[in-house]
Amino acid sequence: MRKLIPLFISSVVLTSAQLLGQTQKTDSIPMVNIQIEVDGTKISISTPDIRKISEKDLDEIVRNITQNAQKFAIRSEKMLNRIHELPDQDLRVVRQSDSLIARLQSVLDSSMSITIKSKNNWKRALDKHFEQFDLQLQNLDRELSQLESIVGVPHAANDAPEITIEMPGFKIQKDSVTIMKFPKSSNRSATAFHFSTGINQLGDNSVLDADLLRSWTFSIGVHGFRRFSPNSPAGLLYGLQYRWTAFGLNTDTRVAVTPTGTEFQIDPNSTATRSRLRSQSLEAPMLFVLSSRRGYTRHLYFGLGVFGGWRFANSTYVRDLTGANNMERNTITKASYHVNPLYAGARAILGFKGFTATASYEFNSYFRSQANLPNMPLMSLTIGVDLDD
């Protein structure tokens, strides 16, 4: 009975990576040995100093090796099954079959060890290594096809299917103390803590006459990002955030609700040092995002989309001076002021490594029709950060 090589693959685990030469210090670049275990078969690769390899490059090294290992294992398993189906009555056929198995075993063994001496040519080295391995498998496959033709065993060519690796997370031990943990390479999604602050403008600003520098907004929440496929540069950004909006009015301006609507009244006796119209809301964005790297905040990203929200609290804030000793008094008045509770708009974002600039424009007016005010859509420009995990 012919001995079959165990090539069934059920999992891919990066077991460890340790610095070589820990017992002896040299002036040369320390090398790192990475071992990938595929059902007991170890694939070893020696790489340069782990501190000089980026997370993305190391991720690609492991993905490249595991993808090729799985693809070639499937092809080799099919070849072994074909050899097993050859008739064993003819000693010459048996000897040729055994020779093919031994050579296939040798090819597989030699492909499991890769050495890269420079971090700048690892892609070329891997491609060249697996091209040679592929050529050797093709030669063995041709010999097997000729042997099948001689003994009259039909065979239909069937290339191995493309494989998509869902690689698990892994750890790399740089030395005896430090542990460097990298995220999963199959990471199609990311979650980020969001914070931003900026300025508002309401319509053409002729009605409120608001001070732009005192008309500010901030938001805080959670954003999620999911790619359309594991290697796609595009995906959807979504989330939920709390938003605070304030308009800096003139110190003698007061907002009042009257039977005719919402009015901005002038108080000639005002001693106020600050007057604001404020609102709080919950907001949900949904944007189409193009990102140059996995995780969407790792490098440059750009997005366009829409957002919607619900304003659940509106109020005015006045700080003025009272009494002979000039004491300050803060007055907060809560009312609807006929502010639109529901809103929607368009949004664009531009970010680099987590720092984001956002421009938003609401489609509907900030005030409802009952306010008897002109159509005044809210516009805002903010800067912020998105910190992913």
Side-chain angles (χ1 to χ4, degrees), residues 64-300:
N64 189 318
I65 296 172
T66 51
Q67 282 181 328
N68 280 284
Q70 285 197 332
K71 180 174 66 175
F72 292 144
I74 291 175
R75 290 174 57 185
S76 301
E77 187 66 32
K78 289 183 178 180
M79 290 177 63
L80 288 169
N81 290 335
R82 289 164 57 191
I83 294 174
H84 185 67
E85 292 173 359
L86 293 173
D88 55 5
Q89 293 84 1
D90 190 333
L91 290 179
R92 186 181 60 177
V93 174
V94 173
R95 285 196 300 267
Q96 290 179 324
S97 299
D98 291 340
S99 174
L100 283 173
I101 292 176
R103 289 155 62 193
L104 181 58
Q105 178 72 69
S106 176
V107 170
L108 292 174
D109 290 342
S110 64
S111 70
M112 296 296 101
S113 181
I114 308 167
T115 300
I116 300 176
K117 296 182 179 180
S118 170
K119 77 181 186 71
N120 296 322
N121 69 348
W122 66 264
K123 292 183 180 178
R124 185 175 58 188
L126 283 180
D127 291 341
K128 184 177 180 180
H129 176 84
F130 287 117
E131 283 175 4
Q132 293 175 349
F133 181 37
D134 182 64
L135 182 60
Q136 291 174 322
L137 281 183
Q138 289 180 19
N139 292 334
L140 291 175
D141 187 83
R142 278 195 294 268
E143 289 188 35
L144 177 56
S145 297
Q146 292 174 358
L147 184 58
E148 288 174 328
S149 177
I150 292 174
V151 300
V153 176
H155 171 65
N158 184 19
D159 294 335
E162 293 295 328
I163 299 173
T164 300
I165 303 295
E166 293 294 331
M167 200 171 62
F170 57 93
K171 292 183 180 179
I172 293 180
Q173 184 174 345
K174 189 180 71 172
D175 50 42
S176 59
V177 178
T178 306
I179 296 293
M180 301 174 64
K181 184 177 180 181
F182 295 88
K184 297 180 180 179
S185 68
S186 60
N187 186 13
R188 292 181 59 180
S189 61
T191 303
F193 167 78
H194 167 78
F195 174 80
S196 63
T197 184
I199 55 176
N200 298 310
Q201 181 170 325
L202 201 55
D204 59 6
N205 204 36
S206 60
V207 178
L208 269 68
D209 193 22
D211 183 354
L212 185 63
L213 296 180
R214 292 190 299 114
S215 299
W216 55 275
T217 181
F218 80 86
S219 62
I220 185 171
V222 176
H223 282 174
F225 175 73
R226 183 168 181 82
R227 294 179 181 275
F228 296 132
S229 67
N231 297 317
S232 172
L236 284 179
L237 183 148
Y238 50 89
L240 183 66
Q241 59 198 46
Y242 166 82
R243 185 178 180 186
W244 173 280
T245 303
F247 302 97
L249 308 178
N250 293 329
T251 56
D252 59 353
T253 301
R254 304 290 181 270
V255 186
V257 178
T258 68
T260 59
T262 300
E263 295 183 357
F264 297 89
Q265 302 172 349
I266 304 300
D267 181 4
N269 301 319
S270 174
T271 59
T273 59
R274 188 167 297 175
S275 179
R276 280 180 178 160
L277 173 63
R278 312 180 303 183
S279 65
Q280 303 175 58
S281 61
L282 290 177
E283 202 169 84
M286 178 69 73
L287 288 81
F288 173 81
V289 174
L290 287 174
S291 173
S292 61
R293 291 190 181 179
R294 184 178 295 108
Y296 104 84
T297 63
R298 303 291 172 85
H299 205 63
L300 182 67

